[in-house]
């Protein structure tokens, strides 16, 4: 919260200084100060830690991505779309750090419901949710999420991953089969000898 207040004060003073420069006739300095003022104002709509986390995820540096996301102390004060990306990224990184399927699914769904900006990000989120559903034995829900992901993937960037997941769908046990396996501790029941 304190960081947000400081950012507001800096942005307002930069804007006031820029207006003062134009008012006094210092056009050269006023035009020069437009860029820093614009950058300061852009931080209200694009959080630098979210951008760093996305970049680190693309490089495969999960620890650095977590550090960047953990620097955001109060994501509820971010704009709605940025808050959605924080939740989405935490859910995606949680899948790779063994955070737990239930918690990761909850974070990704919450981010998806808040509104991810691009269709490609929505397609990836649906694909990850389908993977979670497959792991937990919810085959029908996984099929619906894969279909939704295919529909959102207009650039066919996820074509290979989606086809691989559809192939794996046939090998996934249903929820009932998973319960039976847990009851029998993973062993098939053998008939009793008489």
């Amino acid at each position: 919260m304190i960081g947000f207040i400081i950012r507001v004060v800096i942005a307002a003073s930069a804007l006031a200084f820029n207006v003062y420069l134009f008012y006094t006739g210092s056009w050269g300095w006023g035009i020069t100060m437009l860029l820093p003022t614009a950058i300061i104002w852009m931080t209200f709509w694009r959080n630098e830690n979210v951008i760093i986390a996305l970049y680190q995820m693309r490089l495969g540096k999960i620890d650095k991505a977590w550090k960047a996301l953990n620097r955001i102390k109060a994501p509820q004060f971010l704009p709605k779309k940025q808050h959605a990306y924080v939740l989405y990224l935490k859910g995606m990184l949680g899948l790779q750090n063994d955070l737990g399927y239930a918690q990761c699914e909850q974070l990704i769904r919450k981010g998806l419901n808040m509104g991810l900006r691009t269709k490609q990000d929505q397609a990836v989120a649906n694909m990850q949710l389908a993977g979670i559903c497959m792991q937990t034995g919810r085959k029908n829900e996984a099929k619906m999420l894969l279909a939704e992901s295919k529909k959102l993937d207009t650039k066919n960037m996820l074509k290979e991953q989606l086809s691989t997941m559809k192939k794996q769908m046939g090998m996934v046990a249903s929820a009932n089969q998973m319960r039976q396996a847990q009851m029998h501790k993973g062993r098939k029941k053998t008939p009793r000898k008489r």
Side-chain angles (χ1 to χ4, degrees), residues 187-193:
R187 296 188 306 260
K188 287 186 177 178
K189 196 172 181 182
T190 55
R192 270 191 255 162
K193 293 181 182 176

Side-chain angles (χ1 to χ4, degrees), residues 103-142:
Q103 191 173 0
C104 291
E105 180 182 3
Q106 183 181 13
L107 287 169
I108 293 172
R109 281 190 192 276
K110 201 171 181 183
L112 196 58
N113 289 338
M114 287 181 87
L116 297 175
R117 194 176 313 109
T118 64
K119 286 189 177 182
Q120 199 63 38
D121 290 335
Q122 293 171 10
V124 171
N126 280 320
M127 187 179 74
Q128 292 295 333
L129 286 172
I132 292 171
C133 289
M134 281 172 43
Q135 292 292 326
T136 54
R138 296 177 285 164
K139 229 175 179 178
N140 293 334
E141 190 175 351

Side-chain angles (χ1 to χ4, degrees), residues 3-20:
F4 181 75
I5 293 169
I6 291 171
R7 191 178 295 181
V8 168
V9 169
I10 291 172
S13 59
L15 184 64
F17 182 62
N18 213 349
V19 169
Y20 171 76

Side-chain angles (χ1 to χ4, degrees), residues 39-90:
I39 290 172
I40 292 168
W41 279 95
M42 280 293 290
T43 61
F44 285 105
W45 289 277
R46 300 269 192 261
N47 190 295
E48 64 278 0
N49 290 314
V50 174
I51 294 169
I52 291 170
L54 278 168
Y55 178 69
Q56 295 298 339
M57 269 185 72
R58 287 190 181 122
L59 293 178
K61 298 177 181 176
I62 296 166
D63 295 335
K64 289 185 179 180
W66 264 118
K67 284 178 186 175
L69 283 178
N70 287 334
R71 276 188 236 130
I72 303 171
K73 300 297 181 200
Q76 64 271 17
F77 293 120
L78 293 173
K80 190 175 180 182
K81 298 274 185 193
Q82 291 294 306
H83 188 194
Y85 271 94
V86 170
L87 295 172
Y88 164 68
L89 289 174
K90 282 187 177 180

Side-chain angles (χ1 to χ4, degrees), residues 91-178:
M92 297 283 280
L93 290 170
L95 287 172
Q96 296 173 5
N97 283 354
D98 299 327
L99 187 62
Y101 288 132
Q103 191 173 0
C104 291
E105 180 182 3
Q106 183 181 13
L107 287 169
I108 293 172
R109 281 190 192 276
K110 201 171 181 183
L112 196 58
N113 289 338
M114 287 181 87
L116 297 175
R117 194 176 313 109
T118 64
K119 286 189 177 182
Q120 199 63 38
D121 290 335
Q122 293 171 10
V124 171
N126 280 320
M127 187 179 74
Q128 292 295 333
L129 286 172
I132 292 171
C133 289
M134 281 172 43
Q135 292 292 326
T136 54
R138 296 177 285 164
K139 229 175 179 178
N140 293 334
E141 190 175 351
K143 284 180 185 176
M144 290 188 324
L145 287 166
L146 280 178
E148 181 70 24
S149 182
K150 187 175 183 180
K151 188 169 57 173
L152 288 168
D153 185 30
T154 55
K155 297 176 185 173
N156 288 332
M157 292 176 72
L158 302 173
K159 188 176 182 180
E160 290 180 30
Q161 289 96 335
L162 290 171
S163 63
T164 305
M165 287 183 80
K166 282 185 181 178
K167 287 177 188 173
Q168 290 174 349
M169 186 86 71
M171 296 183 278
V172 172
S174 68
N176 192 29
Q177 290 170 333
M178 291 177 83

